[in-house]
Amino acid sequence: MGLKKQFLKSYLDFQVVDDAKGVLKLYSKKISNIKDEDDIYLDKIIHLFKQVNGIDNITLLKDECILEIYYRPSILNVEKIHQYIDIILDLIVDNAKLIKNCNPNSADDLLVVLNAKFEHRVSTLNI
């Protein structure tokens, strides 16, 4: 694991607070630090994750610092979800400059680029 990714994972420090079949709830106190003006980028990152076959919905509760992931256990399990989270963290680290320099009006274009990279990484890992 690269140093930047390790730093990001340590910074976010996601903790599983509930692992009911079909719902995974992750807590990170850093979620509350996300500025409202950055929500558009966060929405694009969540949209990437929603593209995963078996993910039904993702809800971010900023006030509670909770990320709720609703999934179909017949298709996904928690281990695979964590693998997808790792891929997304890698994408964020590898494309941090692109994300940082993206104009809010170009956020949809950013999503297209990130989605292509996400699909490529998933296909090469055979998750």
Side-chain angles (χ1 to χ4, degrees), residues 24 46 50 57-62 66-70:
L24 178 64
I46 289 173
K50 286 182 178 179
N57 195 23
I58 297 175
T59 306
L60 180 67
L61 307 169
K62 278 176 61 174
I66 298 284
L67 181 67
E68 297 177 328
I69 302 168
Y70 297 88

Side-chain angles (χ1 to χ4, degrees), residues 47-60:
H47 182 78
L48 276 180
F49 201 27
K50 286 182 178 179
Q51 301 304 305
V52 172
N53 184 29
I55 297 289
D56 291 327
N57 195 23
I58 297 175
T59 306
L60 180 67

Side-chain angles (χ1 to χ4, degrees), residues 3-104:
L3 186 60
K4 288 181 182 179
K5 181 181 169 190
Q6 181 61 42
F7 176 76
L8 181 60
K9 285 185 86 168
S10 295
Y11 175 78
L12 291 173
D13 189 29
F14 280 118
Q15 299 170 13
V16 175
V17 292
D18 192 10
D19 183 6
K21 197 167 195 168
V23 181
L24 178 64
K25 293 183 182 182
L26 302 173
Y27 170 84
S28 170
K29 66 181 177 181
K30 301 300 183 183
I31 289 175
S32 65
N33 294 344
I34 298 170
K35 299 174 187 169
D36 290 340
E37 62 263 19
D38 292 334
D39 282 351
I40 189 169
Y41 305 108
L42 186 59
D43 288 342
K44 300 305 177 192
I45 299 297
I46 289 173
H47 182 78
L48 276 180
F49 201 27
K50 286 182 178 179
Q51 301 304 305
V52 172
N53 184 29
I55 297 289
D56 291 327
N57 195 23
I58 297 175
T59 306
L60 180 67
L61 307 169
K62 278 176 61 174
D63 293 340
E64 298 174 35
C65 303
I66 298 284
L67 181 67
E68 297 177 328
I69 302 168
Y70 297 88
Y71 66 98
R72 284 178 263 150
S74 60
I75 298 173
L76 279 177
N77 59 40
V78 173
E79 180 182 325
K80 284 186 179 182
I81 291 172
H82 283 290
Q83 289 175 322
Y84 284 113
I85 290 171
D86 281 344
I87 292 170
I88 290 172
L89 290 176
D90 281 339
L91 277 176
I92 291 169
V93 169
D94 293 346
N95 295 281
K97 193 173 189 178
L98 178 67
I99 294 167
K100 182 181 177 184
N101 294 331
C102 181
N103 180 313

